Amino acid sequence: MARMLYTIRHGAIVSKLVAARWAEEALDRRWSPLIRDALAWTRDVPPDLNETLAYIRYTCEYGDHMKASTSAHDDGL
């Protein structure tokens, strides 16, 4: 999700590590533990499903917001 958010925001594709570092600095601190856990992921420790789903929803909402902002700008608003 951090890579997707980075691409939406910057229009570039970067590595998971670069996107995660950006996300930890740019996004709400709420997501930091989830991002750190994703970087250290192992099969032995399952991800927090509720937080993961919330982060996916956040990513979708962020994309919708960016799309709406771009559309308004393109329409001359």
Side-chain angles (χ1 to χ4, degrees):
M1 293 291 92
R3 290 179 77 191
M4 188 171 295
L5 286 166
Y6 186 95
T7 299
I8 290 168
R9 178 69 176 99
H10 298 285
I13 298 171
V14 296
S15 71
K16 182 177 182 175
L17 183 57
V18 168
R21 286 182 178 156
W22 167 81
E24 284 192 291
E25 292 295 318
L27 303 180
D28 188 302
R29 296 286 178 227
R30 171 189 177 178
W31 308 119
S32 292
L34 189 66
I35 293 165
R36 281 193 300 272
D37 289 349
L39 289 173
W41 182 84
T42 70
R43 292 184 184 269
D44 299 330
V45 181
D48 181 326
L49 184 57
N50 289 329
E51 275 299 282
T52 301
L53 291 171
Y55 191 45
I56 292 168
R57 282 190 294 275
Y58 172 82
T59 301
C60 292
E61 291 168 4
Y62 186 91
D64 288 345
H65 174 74
M66 291 299 289
K67 182 179 175 184
S69 295
T70 301
S71 294
H73 178 70
D74 290 345
D75 291 341
L77 299 178

